Amino acid sequence: MTRTSALRWLSLLSAAAILAACQSTPKPAAETPKAPEATAPAESGTGASTVQPVRRPAPVTGAPLPGTVQDFVINVSDRVFFDVDQYDVREDAAVILERQAAWLKRYPGVQVRIEGNADERGTREYNIALGSRRASSVRDYLVGLGISPSRISTVSFGKERPIDPGADDEAFRRNRNAHTAIIGGAR
Amino acid sequence: MRMSASALFVACLALSGLAGVPAPARAEIEVDVNRGDIRPLPLSIPGFSGDRGGDIARVIADNLGRSGLFAPIDPGDRTAEVSTEPDFAVWKSLGAQALVNGQVNLVDGRLQVDFRLWDTFAGQQLLGLQFTSTPENWRRVAHKISDAVYERLTGEKGYFDSRVVFVAESGGRLDRTLRLAVMDQDGANPSYLTDGSEIVLSPRFSASSQEITYMALRPDGSAVYLLNLETGRRESLGQFQGMVFAPRFSPDGAQVAFAVERNGNSDIWVMNLANRQSRRLTADPAIDTSPAFSPDGSKVVFNSDRGGSPQLYVMDASGGGARRISFGQGRYTSPVWSPNGDFIAFTRQGGGQFHIGVMRPDGSDERTLTSSYMDEGPTWAPNGRVLLFSRQEAGGEPRLWTVDVTGRILKPAPYSGGASDPAWSPLIN
């Protein structure tokens, strides 16, 4: 649910970005059109016809409203990654978790669920335990940064909820993660 | 799929020997299950006479053929009346060392199947039995006959009158639907037990074959359920603080062992189903999961990474006395004790591959039986001679496969869809 809406937002934003890129060299055409004169229909049978220029739409940029799920996903990042069979918080993950903690402090009504995930190179029941460790590790880190444990629940999806369908190291790397899902209190 | 107790009842009578059958002339044919017989025993099973006779013979031939220990020979249009001694020369010339023949009668609305097993070279009857049941139960009768033939020729109990519960998987990798499903061991009578709205994992049979336990995984947590297949009644083991997973019945069905996760630490627990009291068996800061009882109920094998990587440990069923039994290359997970008590099967990850293997309960005699991108989650046939597991190729969906305990007989199981986490039932009573 959250993921779907986040994706939708991302695609909206990228559409806006593409539009903006297209607009970067505005054409002088924008000035030329005057109020359309009463145009007499082109004489039938003649080859040349006058085309009325149409104003290119002005650029529209989008950004998530502060405090929304989209704000969290896009401006903070909702997922941190782990090494093979590990559950300790890496340096790159720590940076993201600090941003998450700061955001959670700014919006104290927000409740989150940390979802631990494992890649498919492990067996099912072991991976559930491993995903739990990852979720718990992220929860502890956020608590250490001053977020109340009562705002954080955890769950492990083991290897059952990959975000990358691939079967290579890059896919495995992406699938070893903990996802901070906002489950309530966002604006 | 729900059958009444009376429908399940299959009566069995020994048939009296035919008059004039010669006494044993020489040593009987036999099949050694421990050698994984490189040359399967050729036998022929012509269609039984009477209603469903052809279907019954076909189910028996398929069962025995799939075991890899027997090579059913197509009888063509040859028949063999059960009431007279077979013309052994005909069957010997086909190359059949054994012959199974039979007849089906409807007696007062009941299905009555007589069959005999013959050693064609010795000209000797090895078995003569009569099974009685309801007509719609003909497949079970065929499985009972398969078990009787298998046992007579191998000296081991059969495993054909049994079922398999598993996780049916459909859809893409990112939107996979998991449903609990149950089928006969030969893939017949498949039926779904859940609707796919939640993640369901780790289904396991109780000793009664009528009850399963499994784990449901939802965003807000997990639960372990008991589900009665006959009544459809489902109940939760209760609320736990943290994740609860990896359930498995004790051999007497009185307890369920499982893992409980608390603050990232998973330990093994056991619940007495009569009074719903739970007891913690391990209290180690490492991951402890996947408990499985020994068939006498006195020990539990489980998975732990307390030594730095996932390995197999055996402890007393009361907890305590844990000792490591896996010392080979790689990571060991998902152990399960053979119903005979002689082996523990497991998944081993090593050399970039996943393997199904077996070892003695003390860790000796380790054997690797299979290798692939992803082989996992073995379960034993009720006779402890065949393992069913799931195999997934890179980027593919998992399928069910079987391998015998020697590792020589490896086959896709008779279920063609995506499937994982199989659990084989005991023989149905």
Side-chain angles (χ1 to χ4, degrees):
Chain A
M1 188 61 222
T2 332
R3 188 169 70 192
T4 328
S5 47
L7 283 179
R8 215 168 275 145
W9 245 101
L10 279 173
S11 52
L12 251 183
L13 285 181
S14 45
I18 290 164
L19 267 181
C22 297
Q23 290 286 129
S24 55
T25 49
K27 301 242 167 81
E31 293 173 10
T32 34
K34 314 215 158 58
E37 287 156 22
T39 40
E43 278 171 43
S44 58
T46 60
S49 68
T50 345
V51 175
Q52 287 295 324
V54 175
R55 185 194 295 270
R56 181 180 285 265
V60 176
T61 56
L65 285 173
T68 58
V69 171
Q70 293 74 28
D71 179 30
F72 184 72
V73 171
I74 292 160
N75 296 324
V76 175
S77 182
D78 61 342
R79 215 175 279 268
V80 295
F81 300 93
F82 295 86
D83 288 336
V84 176
D85 211 25
Q86 299 301 310
Y87 59 99
D88 50 302
V89 172
R90 301 192 313 214
E91 276 178 33
D92 60 334
V95 173
I96 292 170
L97 294 181
E98 273 154 31
R99 291 211 307 264
Q100 288 188 3
W103 193 90
L104 289 169
K105 282 178 186 163
R106 200 174 316 138
Y107 304 104
V110 169
Q111 294 279 328
V112 296
R113 177 176 61 228
I114 315 293
E115 301 166 345
N117 293 292
D119 67 37
E120 67 176 5
R121 304 309 279 159
T123 50
R124 217 163 222 176
E125 289 173 355
Y126 183 79
N127 277 359
I128 288 176
L130 181 58
S132 290
R133 270 182 167 174
R134 288 175 176 160
S136 198
S137 181
V138 164
R139 192 254 328 267
D140 292 350
Y141 202 91
L142 291 174
V143 169
L145 292 171
I147 308 302
S148 164
S150 65
R151 297 173 63 192
I152 310 174
S153 61
T154 60
V155 73
S156 169
F157 289 130
K159 61 172 171 176
E160 314 304 327
R161 288 277 180 87
I163 56 170
D164 190 319
D168 53 23
D169 287 344
E170 174 58 16
F172 304 152
R173 190 191 65 72
R174 285 169 46 73
N175 290 334
R176 290 189 297 268
N177 66 68
H179 175 224
T180 303
I182 293 179
I183 55 172
R187 292 182 181 180
Chain B
M1 68 144 292
R2 287 172 202 165
M3 290 178 271
S4 70
S6 65
L8 277 171
F9 176 73
V10 180
C12 169
L13 286 172
L15 296 180
S16 51
L18 290 176
V21 172
R26 61 183 176 86
E28 294 171 3
I29 47 172
E30 55 178 50
V31 176
D32 184 352
V33 295
N34 293 311
R35 289 181 41 225
D37 244 30
I38 295 141
R39 211 174 59 84
L41 180 88
L43 86 178
S44 200
I45 309 172
F48 289 11
S49 62
D51 244 16
R52 288 282 184 199
D55 292 334
I56 289 174
R58 181 179 44 76
V59 168
I60 300 167
D62 288 349
N63 279 339
L64 295 174
R66 232 178 9 257
S67 77
L69 300 175
F70 303 93
I73 294 173
D74 182 359
D77 53 7
R78 293 169 192 79
T79 56
E81 284 299 314
V82 84
S83 51
T84 57
E85 189 177 288
D87 183 352
F88 295 116
V90 169
W91 302 101
K92 280 194 283 189
S93 71
L94 258 185
Q97 291 182 42
L99 172 72
V100 178
N101 64 347
Q103 70 180 22
V104 183
N105 292 304
L106 275 177
V107 180
D108 297 332
R110 303 275 291 170
L111 184 82
Q112 181 180 301
V113 184
D114 298 356
F115 85 96
R116 296 176 197 274
L117 168 66
W118 305 87
D119 179 337
T120 57
F121 282 75
Q124 181 192 347
Q125 180 178 314
L126 301 178
L127 208 54
L129 293 170
Q130 180 180 84
F131 289 104
T132 307
S133 188
T134 55
E136 65 274 14
N137 212 18
W138 65 271
R139 292 192 74 96
R140 274 206 68 197
V141 171
H143 294 318
K144 289 272 189 200
I145 294 171
S146 309
D147 283 334
V149 170
Y150 181 99
E151 182 170 356
R152 183 66 184 80
L153 293 177
T154 67
E156 300 272 346
K157 283 270 184 207
Y159 56 89
F160 302 113
D161 187 24
S162 60
R163 291 195 281 182
V164 172
V165 61
F166 60 99
V167 175
E169 302 202 10
S170 55
R173 193 81 185 86
L174 300 185
D175 59 351
R176 192 151 291 184
T177 299
L178 305 181
R179 286 182 289 182
L180 281 191
V182 65
M183 64 182 181
D184 297 348
Q185 57 76 29
D186 64 348
N189 300 314
S191 96
Y192 294 116
L193 304 173
T194 61
D195 62 6
S197 61
E198 58 192 7
I199 296 175
V200 287
L201 305 173
S202 308
R204 318 286 185 212
F205 270 107
S206 77
S208 74
S209 302
Q210 285 305 326
E211 198 167 33
I212 61 168
T213 180
Y214 68 96
M215 174 213 190
L217 175 52
R218 309 184 189 95
D220 60 354
S222 68
V224 165
Y225 290 103
L226 304 177
L227 173 66
N228 187 303
L229 295 177
E230 219 167 338
T231 64
R233 187 179 136 79
R234 177 175 106 148
E235 56 179 320
S236 166
L237 279 194
Q239 291 286 322
F240 292 83
Q241 180 203 338
M243 304 266 299
V244 52
F245 59 109
R248 206 179 279 273
F249 282 102
S250 63
D252 62 4
Q255 303 177 89
V256 173
F258 47 90
V260 177
E261 171 269 339
R262 227 165 250 182
N263 299 325
N265 176 36
S266 302
D267 279 312
I268 312 282
W269 288 66
V270 65
M271 179 183 278
N272 177 326
L273 294 177
N275 62 16
R276 293 300 167 113
Q277 295 297 304
S278 291
R279 216 157 45 80
R280 185 172 176 162
L281 298 188
T282 67
D284 194 282
I287 288 176
D288 293 335
T289 184
S290 303
F293 287 91
S294 62
D296 66 1
S298 70
K299 304 275 186 201
V300 169
V301 62
F302 64 102
N303 185 214
S304 177
D305 69 354
R306 58 184 65 187
S309 70
Q311 300 292 338
L312 308 184
Y313 292 77
V314 170
M315 66 178 165
D316 297 333
S318 53
R323 62 178 201 286
R324 181 168 164 182
I325 61 164
S326 61
F327 292 97
Q329 288 283 317
R331 304 148 54 88
Y332 291 75
T333 50
S334 67
V336 55
W337 220 300
S338 153
N340 299 338
D342 53 352
F343 282 109
I344 288 168
F346 51 81
T347 305
R348 181 172 68 82
Q349 183 182 0
Q353 298 277 100
F354 281 71
H355 315 271
I356 303 300
V358 294
M359 62 173 64
R360 298 287 179 189
D362 65 0
S364 63
D365 281 351
E366 179 176 344
R367 279 186 248 158
T368 295
L369 305 181
T370 73
S371 290
S372 87
Y373 174 78
M374 187 77 222
D375 283 353
E376 92 172 277
T379 178
W380 291 94
N383 72 349
R385 291 296 168 188
V386 182
L387 290 156
L388 180 64
F389 62 98
S390 78
R391 163 169 288 185
Q392 182 204 319
E393 299 304 339
E397 67 178 1
R399 302 287 169 137
L400 300 183
W401 284 68
T402 58
V403 65
D404 79 314
V405 77
T406 71
R408 294 194 187 94
I409 305 169
L410 173 70
K411 298 188 172 198
Y415 179 79
S416 56
S420 60
D421 250 355
W424 212 317
S425 80
L427 282 178
I428 300 168
N429 287 315

